[in-house]
Every structure is written in structure tokens, then in C-alpha cells.
């Protein structure tokens, strides 16, 4: 399928990696449904893409809510067409010692990071099955690979995404649909900046000094990996986990 025929949906697209992924897929010629829980940032991302000559539609939804997801996906289908590239990027985190994680906190992290990917994927999948072509990319985290103190709920949700990727890839491989995940390392986004500002992490210089590539990653570097998984050329690549992490995890 040519890039210009692809319709992509990127979740958590208002800022950070989701914004960079949306811009990159649009630059590659795809029409992009940019979905976020916050209206203002997603409107400005869509406007920037459209002003640059691309095609984007802003939609507002909470990925953990089936009704909102179904309405958002339907809006994109009606406006742009059937969705063939899905990037499950929306995520939330907080830093809480395991003993202090309560059920509300645990459930919200799992609801957005893991159930959200299940809901959006299940809602979009009929389009890909119909066309016998699709690309699903799940944004996990290096925290799922190497562990992350005070983020047991978060790393469990991101580990779930890796397992979901592998199992779904096996179900869908014969139907022309690939499913892969990306595990970003420490990437310079509002999420990471919030953690630094809240003193939840050591100072950046100290943190990145131990990395083989001693700096934070850029959202565009994650977007480039996404663009590869979304491409026609990656048609024989499925069930994979690609770290974009400066060498911090295998
Ligand atoms: P970010 O800066 O917080 O951006 C994520 C966007 O998703 C925000 O606009 C956020 O809104 C939105 N969102 C949150 N909950 C949502 C929901 N229920 N439905 C729809 N949208 C929702 O995050 P990021 O750093 O770009 O991270 C993108 C993904 O990579 C996340 O899954 C994250 O867990 C993962 N990741 C990040 C890093 C890192 O170092 N930055 C490392 C590894 C993995 P709010 O701002 O209102 O929450």
C-alpha cells in the first residue's frame, strides 16, 4: 500500500512522542487522525500538519473509554477513510512506592496504558481486516525491560503491551497485519520533564551519564522507528520489540 493511501491513528498525539509520530507519518504522506484526551494541543498539532500541506484530523477521546473510542474512530473513518496504521502511544505514569499504590492508581494506569491499547486496536481492526493490510505499533517502555522502581504499576502495564504485541502478531500475521512494539528509553517530552521537575528522577546529566549514548532521546527518534514499522518495507517484520533507548536496555 502506498504511503499516500494510508490512514493513520495516533493516540496521545497532543504533545511529546505522539505529536512527533503524527508529524512524521504525515510527512511520509499519510492522513493522520490525531487523538488525545486534551482538545487544545491536539487541535494545534492537526493545524500545524494541515498548514504544512499534510492531512490531519483532531479527535478528543479518553482511550480507556470504549464509547469515546468508538465515536472517535468513527469520526476518523468518516472524514479520512479506513484506518490502516495504528500507533497506541497514549500513556500515563506516576511514581509511587509499591506498598502505597492503591486500587484507583493501579486501575487508572492499567486502564490507559494497557486496556486503552486493547480498546483502540479492537475498534480499528475491522478496517485492517477488510483491507487485508495493517500496521499496529504499541509504545511500551524500557521500564518494562529493565524494571523501574516506584513504577511497578507502570512497568506492569508496559510489559503487558509487549506480550499483547507478540500474541496479536501471531493472530494477525496471516491477515496482512503486522504488530510491533517500541520501547523508548528516556525521551525528552512533557512526561519526562514533569518527572524531572517533580524531583522524581535524578538530575538529567547524572541520569544520562551512565547511558552508552549519554543524552536524552528525541521524540523524532521514536517517530522514525514508528515510520519504519508503518512502512510497506517492514511487511515481514512482526512481533518485534525495538528499543529506542541510547543503549540503556537490550
Ligand atoms: P506525554 O508527554 O505525557 O504525552 C502523552 C499524551 O497522551 C498527553 O497529551 C496525555 O495527556 C495523553 N493522554 C493521557 N491519557 C490519555 C488517555 N486516557 N486518552 C488519550 N490521551 C491520553 O508522554 P510521552 O513522554 O510523549 O509518552 C508517550 C508514550 O511513551 C507513553 O505511552 C509513555 O508511557 C511512553 N514512554 C515515555 C517515555 C519518556 O521518557 N518520555 C519513556 C518510555 C515510554 P495528559 O498530559 O493530560 O496526560
Amino acid at each position: 500500500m502506498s504511503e499516500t493511501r494510508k490512514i493513520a491513528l495516533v493516540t496521545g498525539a497532543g504533545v511529546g512522542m505522539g505529536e512527533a509520530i503524527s508529524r512524521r507519518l504525515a510527512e511520509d504522506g499519510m492522513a493522520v487522525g490525531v487523538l488525545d484526551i486534551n482538545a487544545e494541543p491536539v487541535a494545534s498539532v492537526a493545524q500545524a500538519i494541515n498548514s504544512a500541506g499534510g492531512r490531519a484530523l483532531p479527535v478528543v477521546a479518553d482511550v480507556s473509554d470504549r464509547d469515546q473510542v468508538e465515536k472517535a474512530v468513527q469520526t476518523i473513518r468518516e472524514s479520512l477513510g479506513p484506518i490502516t496504521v495504528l500507533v497506541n502511544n497514549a500513556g500515563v505514569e506516576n511514581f509511587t512506592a509499591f506498598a502505597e499504590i492503591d486500587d484507583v492508581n493501579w486501575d487508572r494506569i492499567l486502564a490507559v496504558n494497557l486496556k486503552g491499547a486493547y480498546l483502540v486496536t479492537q475498534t480499528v481492526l475491522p478496517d485492517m481486516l477488510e483491507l487485508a493490510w495493517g500496521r499496529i505499533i504499541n509504545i511500551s517502555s524500557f521500564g518494562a525491560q529493565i524494571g523501574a522502581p516506584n513504577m511497578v504499576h507502570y512497568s506492569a502495564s508496559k510489559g503487558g503491551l509487549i506480550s499483547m504485541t507478540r500474541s496479536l502478531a501471531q493472530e494477525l500475521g496471516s491477515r496482512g497485519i503486522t504488530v510491533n512494539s517500541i520501547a523508548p528509553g528516556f525521551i525528552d517530552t512533557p512526561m519526562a520533564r514533569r518527572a524531572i521537575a517533580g524531583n522524581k528522577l535524578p538530575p538529567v546529566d547524572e541520569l544520562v551519564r551512565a547511558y552508552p549514548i549519554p543524552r536524552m532521546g528525541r521524540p523524532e527518534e521514536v517517530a522514525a522507528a514508528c515510520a519504519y514499522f508503518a512502512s510497506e518495507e517492514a511487511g515481514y517484520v512482526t512481533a518485534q520489540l525495538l528499543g529506542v533507548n541510547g543503549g540503556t536496555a537490550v
Side-chain angles (χ1 to χ4, degrees):
M1 182 175 287
S2 76
E3 308 293 301
T4 48
R5 284 181 53 216
K6 292 180 193 164
I7 315 295
L9 165 55
V10 180
T11 70
V15 295
M17 277 181 249
E19 174 180 1
I21 293 164
S22 302
R23 287 174 181 266
R24 173 59 195 262
L25 298 186
E27 279 163 21
D28 286 356
M30 299 177 211
V32 189
V34 288
L35 181 153
D36 201 280
I37 199 166
N38 302 304
E40 193 277 322
V42 90
S44 89
V45 170
Q47 191 183 28
I49 290 172
N50 289 323
S51 312
R55 194 157 169 236
L57 179 78
V59 281
V60 178
D62 178 341
V63 294
S64 71
D65 182 308
R66 185 180 282 280
D67 284 348
Q68 292 186 35
V69 167
E70 286 176 353
K71 283 193 188 98
V73 166
Q74 196 49 32
T75 302
I76 296 167
R77 276 192 191 117
E78 283 165 12
S79 178
L80 301 180
I83 297 160
T84 48
V85 174
L86 168 63
V87 184
N88 286 308
N89 167 77
V92 286
E93 67 167 11
N94 60 64
F95 294 79
T96 311
F98 177 69
E100 282 151 31
I101 295 173
D102 61 19
D103 294 353
V104 173
N105 187 357
W106 178 272
D107 288 348
R108 185 63 187 158
I109 295 284
L110 271 287
V112 176
N113 296 0
L114 187 55
K115 186 183 174 192
Y118 145 74
L119 286 176
V120 180
T121 303
Q122 202 176 58
T123 309
V124 164
L125 193 56
D127 292 1
M128 299 184 184
L129 290 171
E130 172 80 21
L131 293 167
W133 197 96
R135 300 280 189 262
I136 299 167
I137 302 149
N138 295 319
I139 306 299
S140 177
S141 171
F142 72 144
Q145 297 172 285
I146 61 174
N150 301 315
M151 298 183 88
V152 169
H153 46 355
Y154 177 81
S155 55
S157 71
K158 293 295 187 177
L161 270 181
I162 296 170
S163 299
M164 188 176 136
T165 299
R166 294 197 174 122
S167 297
L168 194 57
Q170 292 187 24
E171 272 191 48
L172 298 177
S174 65
R175 315 290 296 272
I177 301 165
T178 67
V179 192
N180 292 289
S181 49
I182 294 171
F186 189 33
I187 311 294
D188 193 355
T189 68
M191 178 185 278
R193 289 283 158 190
R194 270 194 307 272
I196 295 163
N199 296 318
K200 302 297 182 187
L201 295 169
V204 175
D205 289 353
E206 198 179 300
L207 199 65
V208 301
R209 201 177 302 140
Y211 296 173
I213 299 175
R215 63 168 174 83
M216 291 179 88
R218 292 186 286 271
E220 293 73 21
E221 291 169 320
V222 176
C226 229
Y228 171 67
F229 281 135
S231 71
E232 192 64 44
E233 289 75 8
Y236 197 53
V237 178
T238 196
Q240 299 305 303
L241 170 65
L242 177 61
V244 181
N245 57 31
T248 49
V250 287

